[in-house]
Amino acid sequence: MLLKREDSLLNDIFSKIDHEQELSKEDLVCLIALENAADLTRLYNLADRVRQKYVGDEVHLRGLIEFSNYCRKNCDYCGIRRGNRKIERYRMPIEEILDTVYEAAELGYRTVVLQSGEDMRYTADNLAELVRRIKRETDVAVTLSIGERSREEYERLYEAGADRFLLRFETSNRELYHRLHPDSDYDERMKILVWLREIGYQVGSGVMIGLPGQTIEDLALDILKFKELDLDMVGVGPYICHEETPLAGHANGTVEMTYKVIALTRIVTRYAHIPATTALATLRPDDGREEALQLGANVVMPNVTPVKYRALYELYPSKVCIREKATQCRGCIGGRILSLGRPISQGYGHSLYKKLNALGTAKFLKEDKK
């Protein structure tokens, strides 16, 4: 009898997804807890259907440039944290960053992601001039992922031409956030995400799956937080333990749990861009990203950082593709995507939320998702 009630509850939740009804925290907890293979296949098929309807079949490529591994923060999970004395630090000169952007553009990337630790040596003036030159000299969208700055600095960078900003919060559980971020404030992080939206950025954020102390209920609330923040991009990847952090010895997050959260993030957010992360490929090199693309993801971020720096940007150990040149990465990931029967986007991959708001729902759904 209990089993029948559970089956009935699950069918009711799947029916909600079919009819595009809102899912509650309790619904999400139930789905995150799924272990039966047939139920998971049903969930993933539904998520893939939502992905196809709302963001289409195109996969968007973002060329990732990790330009500095200096960081003023001391987050407990991160390999480039300030307290890691064993890491060799580097900063790419501005001209070298530009040369890498040119290479990315030549390889066909329509977006570059400029990512670093919170390295204040790069001032707002430095970064604004860099962004202006990129926009003048190449035809790419610019995403920044440089951590916490003042609102005035975010405004200056947006005025210089930056299109998007990525700022992850890693967990919406306030207590867990404070345990993992000894020198960061939860409310400040959330306030900055609001600022970025108000300024005009396309805003990305995300969480790690499998953090020590994280619960299924936390993950359900994370997914609801994505919707509340109206994010344009949501990054969901497994936690991978780094031995030079206070969390040394903890188990990694799992690919399976990450897939469930990706699928549910697609179902709940619908239009958000969702990457198939490098961390997934690190834990499952053969098909980690490919599987994610078949259950809700629609973005891949190949690394175009010069090879001499890649191993030094060690957020977590054993990252894939650290010895491949940018041309090799582009060819490899392109082939993997095409093998799934999915086309690679030739557009910038701008926010679908912004396009929806500009056009209205009826007109938007008639258009190709360019």
Side-chain angles (χ1 to χ4, degrees), residues 30-283:
C30 178
L31 294 172
I32 294 169
L34 289 178
E35 294 184 355
N36 179 273
D39 292 335
L40 287 171
T41 297
R42 186 177 179 187
L43 173 65
Y44 297 156
N45 287 341
L46 285 170
D48 198 48
R49 191 186 312 162
V50 172
R51 186 272 308 157
Q52 201 282 330
K53 177 177 179 179
Y54 285 96
V55 301
D57 287 331
E58 289 186 335
V59 177
H60 301 277
L61 299 183
R62 324 288 206 202
L64 177 64
I65 303 172
E66 299 159 331
F67 65 91
S68 170
N69 69 350
Y70 281 87
C71 191
R72 62 176 175 162
K73 297 289 189 180
N74 223 14
C75 304
D76 280 6
Y77 49 80
C78 183
I80 67 169
R81 66 196 303 271
R82 184 182 73 244
N84 183 358
R85 304 301 180 192
K86 295 187 178 181
I87 190 171
E88 179 185 345
R89 303 286 178 173
Y90 73 90
R91 291 186 175 101
M92 290 177 61
I94 294 295
E95 291 300 325
E96 189 173 19
I97 299 172
L98 276 167
D99 287 342
T100 308
V101 172
Y102 301 150
E103 181 180 13
E106 288 172 2
L107 289 171
Y109 294 108
R110 303 304 301 280
T111 293
V112 291
V113 180
L114 304 181
Q115 180 172 292
S116 69
E118 293 203 13
D119 185 355
M120 307 309 287
R121 185 73 66 85
Y122 296 90
T123 66
D125 286 340
N126 299 149
L127 294 171
E129 179 57 24
L130 171 63
V131 171
R132 279 192 288 268
R133 288 188 62 184
I134 291 171
K135 299 300 279 191
R136 276 199 313 266
E137 299 170 22
T138 70
D139 184 23
V140 297
V142 175
T143 301
L144 298 176
S145 180
I146 57 173
E148 295 182 0
R149 299 265 175 153
S150 69
R151 177 162 184 152
E152 186 266 343
E153 288 176 289
Y154 292 132
E155 289 171 346
R156 288 172 63 191
L157 293 168
Y158 181 73
E159 289 165 4
D163 301 281
R164 308 173 191 144
F165 204 100
L166 303 182
L167 186 70
R168 295 166 65 98
F169 56 83
E170 306 303 0
T171 176
S172 61
N173 179 319
R174 183 184 295 270
E175 181 182 343
L176 181 57
Y177 183 94
H178 285 303
R179 288 208 305 268
L180 297 173
H181 303 87
D183 49 9
S184 292
D185 182 78
Y186 177 88
D187 292 316
E188 182 71 13
R189 181 62 58 112
M190 293 300 170
K191 180 174 71 175
I192 291 173
L193 289 169
V194 174
W195 284 353
L196 294 168
R197 171 73 65 206
E198 290 173 347
I199 290 167
Y201 285 100
Q202 298 167 44
V203 182
S205 193
V207 300
M208 281 190 286
I209 310 303
L211 286 164
Q214 187 180 63
T215 67
I216 289 176
E217 287 76 15
D218 291 336
L219 294 173
L221 291 172
D222 289 341
I223 294 166
L224 294 174
K225 179 64 74 173
F226 300 152
K227 184 172 180 63
E228 176 190 331
L229 291 169
D230 195 27
L231 295 173
D232 300 291
M233 194 195 87
V234 180
V236 175
Y239 162 70
I240 300 177
C241 182
H242 195 296
E243 289 302 310
E244 297 301 327
T245 69
L247 299 182
H250 282 280
N252 293 334
T254 68
V255 170
E256 291 75 16
M257 183 62 77
T258 304
Y259 285 161
K260 286 188 274 189
V261 177
I262 289 174
L264 290 169
T265 298
R266 170 58 63 210
I267 288 166
V268 169
T269 67
R270 297 180 185 168
Y271 289 103
H273 290 305
I274 302 175
T277 65
T278 303
L280 279 171
T282 298
L283 292 184

Side-chain angles (χ1 to χ4, degrees), residues 324-355:
E324 295 181 3
K325 293 182 179 180
T327 51
Q328 294 172 295
C329 284
R330 177 63 179 82
C332 173
I333 199 63
R336 286 172 179 252
I337 292 167
L338 295 174
S339 75
L340 301 176
R342 297 274 290 280
I344 296 172
S345 173
Q346 302 302 306
Y348 301 107
H350 283 313
S351 167
L352 297 177
Y353 283 125
K354 282 185 177 275
K355 187 173 182 181

